[in-house]
Amino acid sequence: MVKKRLRQYANRAAFNKLLLLATDLLLGAVAFVLSLLLFEEQAPVALGQTAALALVLRLAAFFVFKTYAVVIRFIHLRDMAKLTLALMLSDVALGVLSYAVWGKFSVAIGIAYFTLSLMALAGYRALVRYFSWGNDAADEHPPVRLLIFGAGSAGLITKHVLEHAPGLSYKVVAFFDDDPMKSGKTIEGVRVFNVAEHFKDIIRKNGVQKAVIAIHHLLPERRQQFIEWCLEAEVPVMKVPPLSQWYEGGFNPAQLENVRIEDLLEREPIRMESPHVRETFSDKIVLVTGAAGSIGRELCRQLVRCRPRQLLLLDKAESALHELHLSLLEEEHYPDALPVLADVTDAANIAQIFARHRPQAVLHAAAYKHVPMMENYPQQAVKVNIFGTKHVVDAAVRYGAEKFILVSTDKAVNPTNVMGASKRIAELYVQALHMQGSATAFAVTRFGNVLGSDGSVIPRFKKQIQAGGPVTVTSPDIVRYFMTIPEAAQLILEAGAMGSQAEIFLFDMGQPVRIADLARKMIRLAGLQPDKDIAIRFTGLRPGEKLMEELLLQQENTLPTYHPKIRIAKNIPQLDMQGVDFSLQEFQHKIAENADDAEIVRLMMRLVPEFQSTNPKFAAVGAQKNL
């Protein structure tokens, strides 16, 4: 829908430019005729040739100064200065060339031509601007009263775009800016307020109904503070698109976005432009497992920028895999992506895929991740998270992959649930292969919850809010580390570039976020009030859940890397391949025997001694793990 509206906007803008150019040329021709009538006795001998030359010179000047590339309703003094200069230079050139070719040119006609042209073209612009403003003011519906954060050029353009966009009804009633030099001044009759003034009073006195952020280079903590002020004052917040998406000095109002929960991440987003990543994956055959998942999709989008020779997209979800492949073709214009419909639990098929395509780098993101689900199905956690990893990594080693990156989780640290324990065992297997002396370079990544990923808390809260509530939170004290999907993909790719010794890479993710606070912010972002419009209900911790996840980010437990936000875990217990293999054989026997869940969990606890289940169903298992 947005793309369609952008195309319509571009087509309409192109038509308006052509119309303005034609009008300017026509008015110029009329001015030329009038100037001849005023000074008929001084008319040039070669009248037709002079008129044609005047038209060509005007046209060239308009193209050079782009006098037609303006939206008249938003016209600025700079635009009028460019118009004046274009007319002046074209008329001077007309006089010089006429004198050089025909030996005669009337200065009086030249001055009259310039003066009449300027009056006609400027007058036309003034009339259009006056009547367009009058039509907007005559709108039957009272306009939405806006506050714009940013009183610079971007803020002023935002004011013009929103106040005069067809089909919209906005009125800017206040600017808000950090610059104390602008405080108390007015821009086009609108007062600029400063941070020192009481924000709620500004909102109340000016009847503000919505706020727009129109500053492109704004510190994250400042943006977050402003958004939270707006939410507390019950004012919805929007933001203008990046400058790179603006069209001819402005933007389409359809591009305005509501502030998302990602904008309230309580730390500065981590961005990396590492040349090592491109060097690692450029011109390589790269395989991504779990490619159609939320992390896998973003991994693939970031990988195509490295221009791998071929990108293998492995997933068992047929429709999602098809959609991913189409998006890489149509949106990323990458023709060398190959969808591979397969299940990582099928060892023979995985081996065939590696034998056929010989991937040089493998990013293993396929996994079961939902804690409550895995508490009910421990065998599935073993089959997918443990043996699925084993099948992929064994094939990578057997067929000579240069890199293997395992996507793990913070829940693998001192696990209290089956999912976390299964991922820790996958880590142990990868590390054991490295200790055995494999030629493949291994790396492991751990990170916390991913904002907006499939099945995560954010989409669930959104659905609950849209349904009118209640929003369900397990505990008022539960906290989690959060990162965005692009950050997660960046970590995996950076680990692929850095890792070679089966290191475990961690992000410095700042302070953990209280989930109850996250729920309240999301309710406010929806324009509603928590505990008034939408109730928050606490349901109690689910089996296997912790109040707080761990990342092992203390200085004494980690080592630095070349990026200040990425560290390597140290002193992580490891097992040799003999011990891991013996345990995996036991898992295979128990699964073949269809052993009960408690028996599977007991084997997990033997392999991962720090695993202490908080699920009452497995309360007695810990004491029996060595039996």
Side-chain angles (χ1 to χ4, degrees):
M1 178 62 72
V2 171
K3 287 184 178 179
K4 182 179 179 181
R5 293 192 64 179
L6 283 172
R7 284 195 297 269
Q8 292 172 345
Y9 180 73
N11 292 337
R12 187 168 63 247
F15 174 77
N16 290 339
K17 286 181 186 178
L18 186 60
L19 179 63
L20 181 57
L21 180 62
T23 303
D24 285 349
L25 291 173
L26 177 62
L27 291 175
V30 172
F32 186 76
V33 171
L34 289 175
S35 64
L36 290 175
L37 293 175
L38 287 172
F39 301 96
E40 189 174 354
E41 70 283 355
Q42 300 181 35
V45 177
L47 183 59
Q49 293 93 323
T50 305
L53 180 61
L55 179 67
V56 170
L57 290 172
R58 279 283 172 87
L59 187 61
F62 291 157
F63 271 108
V64 169
F65 289 94
K66 296 188 182 300
T67 58
Y68 55 88
V70 295
V71 180
I72 296 180
R73 288 175 297 173
F74 311 149
I75 201 162
H76 193 273
L77 284 175
R78 284 194 308 271
D79 301 314
M80 295 306 299
K82 285 167 62 177
L83 176 65
T84 304
L85 189 58
L87 294 174
M88 185 182 297
L89 291 179
S90 66
D91 292 354
V92 168
L94 175 65
V96 170
L97 290 174
S98 295
Y99 188 81
V101 175
W102 296 293
K104 179 183 177 183
F105 182 76
S106 169
V107 175
I109 289 178
I111 293 174
Y113 179 38
F114 167 76
T115 304
L116 291 172
S117 295
L118 182 60
M119 290 172 61
L121 272 61
Y124 169 70
R125 284 160 170 75
L127 284 172
V128 171
R129 175 166 175 159
Y130 174 80
F131 283 110
S132 64
W133 280 40
N135 288 338
D136 290 342
D139 195 337
E140 295 178 2
H141 305 288
V144 176
R145 298 171 70 84
L146 291 181
L147 178 147
I148 293 179
F149 186 12
S153 56
L156 186 60
I157 292 171
T158 300
K159 176 181 184 296
H160 290 162
V161 169
L162 296 182
E163 284 188 336
H164 307 297
L168 298 178
S169 182
Y170 288 115
K171 179 177 177 57
V172 176
V173 296
F175 283 104
F176 191 75
D177 202 281
D178 288 337
D179 186 353
M181 299 297 292
K182 296 177 181 176
S183 180
K185 296 181 179 178
T186 60
I187 299 177
E188 296 188 352
V190 179
R191 182 177 171 183
V192 181
F193 295 91
N194 187 255
V195 292
E197 301 179 63
H198 197 278
F199 188 76
K200 284 190 176 179
D201 285 345
I202 299 172
I203 297 294
R204 179 175 49 81
K205 290 176 181 177
N206 292 277
V208 173
Q209 296 167 285
K210 281 189 178 182
V212 179
I213 298 174
I215 301 179
H216 295 287
H217 302 291
L218 187 62
L219 291 175
E221 56 268 23
R222 188 74 186 96
R223 183 195 299 112
Q224 180 175 323
Q225 185 182 46
F226 176 76
I227 293 170
E228 294 201 359
W229 283 348
C230 290
L231 295 182
E232 288 173 9
E234 302 182 29
V235 173
V237 192
M238 300 180 293
K239 58 183 181 180
V240 301
L243 275 171
S244 60
Q245 297 177 21
W246 286 28
Y247 182 80
E248 293 289 353
F251 62 90
N252 183 354
Q255 293 175 279
L256 271 184
E257 293 181 348
N258 290 325
V259 165
R260 301 169 299 167
I261 194 64
E262 287 89 338
D263 297 303
L264 287 169
L265 197 64
E266 294 184 2
R267 59 175 170 80
E268 184 174 356
I270 300 169
R271 295 183 178 89
M272 291 173 287
E273 296 293 337
S274 171
H276 303 289
V277 171
R278 179 174 285 274
E279 291 168 8
T280 300
F281 298 105
S282 177
D283 199 34
K284 299 287 178 67
I285 301 172
V286 183
L287 169 68
V288 179
T289 71
S294 48
I295 302 294
R297 290 193 300 268
E298 181 63 23
L299 264 177
C300 294
R301 290 190 182 96
Q302 293 195 23
L303 276 166
V304 298
R305 297 168 198 160
C306 301
R307 308 316 292 180
R309 190 188 321 157
Q310 187 175 48
L311 183 57
L312 305 173
L313 318 171
L314 191 150
D315 207 289
K316 67 177 183 178
E318 179 206 9
S319 296
L321 186 61
H322 177 67
E323 288 299 320
L324 171 63
H325 184 223
L326 288 181
S327 73
L328 294 181
L329 282 172
E330 297 169 2
E331 297 171 22
E332 303 293 340
H333 309 293
Y334 179 74
D336 298 317
L338 177 66
V340 180
L341 189 63
D343 189 331
V344 294
T345 62
D346 186 342
N349 191 24
I350 293 297
Q352 288 173 356
I353 291 165
F354 272 80
R356 184 181 307 122
H357 298 288
R358 304 282 174 152
Q360 295 160 284
V362 181
L363 296 95
H364 181 51
Y368 282 149
K369 64 179 183 178
H370 293 292
V371 169
M373 189 71 74
M374 294 303 98
E375 290 299 297
N376 291 327
Y377 299 98
Q379 283 200 24
Q380 294 303 314
V382 171
K383 289 178 181 179
V384 174
N385 293 356
I386 299 175
F387 283 100
T389 300
K390 182 181 185 303
H391 299 155
V392 177
V393 73
D394 285 352
V397 171
R398 180 179 176 184
Y399 292 100
E402 299 168 11
K403 290 272 187 180
F404 181 93
I405 301 99
L406 171 66
V407 179
S408 190
T409 170
D410 58 359
K411 294 173 178 63
V413 183
N414 298 323
T416 60
N417 52 66
V418 168
M419 195 281 279
S422 68
K423 294 298 284 183
R424 177 62 188 133
I425 294 169
E427 292 179 0
L428 287 170
Y429 186 75
V430 169
Q431 290 174 322
L433 268 178
H434 167 70
M435 290 171 61
Q436 199 178 38
S438 169
T440 302
F442 297 105
V444 177
T445 65
R446 281 182 186 166
F447 42 77
N449 292 44
V450 179
L451 286 168
S453 62
D454 297 336
S456 68
V457 68
I458 304 300
R460 183 162 58 86
F461 282 175
K462 283 181 179 177
K463 286 182 180 179
Q464 290 176 335
I465 292 167
Q466 289 168 357
V471 171
T472 55
V473 180
T474 55
S475 167
D477 300 316
I478 194 167
V479 294
R480 290 290 182 265
Y481 292 97
F482 279 101
M483 67 195 311
T484 65
I485 292 175
E487 285 177 331
Q490 286 171 8
L491 170 60
I492 297 165
L493 296 180
E494 284 289 341
M498 294 183 194
S500 61
Q501 306 293 315
E503 306 97 324
I504 295 178
F505 291 88
L506 314 164
F507 254 155
D508 180 353
M509 296 169 65
Q511 296 301 310
V513 177
R514 194 175 297 275
I515 300 299
D517 293 342
L518 186 69
R520 291 187 179 93
K521 288 176 182 177
M522 288 190 65
I523 293 169
R524 290 193 179 104
L525 281 175
L528 303 167
Q529 287 302 299
D531 302 318
K532 181 181 176 183
D533 300 313
I534 300 287
I536 296 177
R537 190 175 72 208
F538 297 103
T539 58
L541 286 176
R542 295 172 297 182
E545 272 193 324
K546 296 180 183 179
L547 279 175
M548 181 175 181
E549 302 293 355
E550 303 167 76
L551 281 174
L552 295 182
L553 272 178
Q554 297 86 352
Q555 291 293 116
E556 65 270 18
N557 291 329
T558 60
L559 297 170
T561 67
Y562 59 69
H563 193 287
K565 293 292 185 180
I566 304 178
R567 299 187 70 84
I568 299 173
K570 68 176 183 179
N571 301 326
I572 300 293
Q574 299 185 17
L575 295 176
D576 60 25
M577 183 55 72
Q578 185 177 0
V580 176
D581 263 342
F582 178 76
S583 297
L584 294 186
Q585 289 171 17
E586 284 194 278
F587 276 122
Q588 286 179 320
H589 292 319
K590 294 299 180 183
I591 290 172
E593 296 169 1
N594 199 25
D596 61 21
D597 293 346
E599 189 64 20
I600 297 294
V601 171
R602 184 178 70 82
L603 286 178
M604 285 185 164
M605 289 180 173
R606 282 175 54 185
L607 192 52
V608 184
E610 66 270 26
F611 174 23
Q612 296 183 3
S613 176
T614 58
N615 188 342
K617 184 166 76 169
F618 305 128
V621 174
Q624 305 170 356
K625 64 182 179 182
N626 293 319
L627 297 180

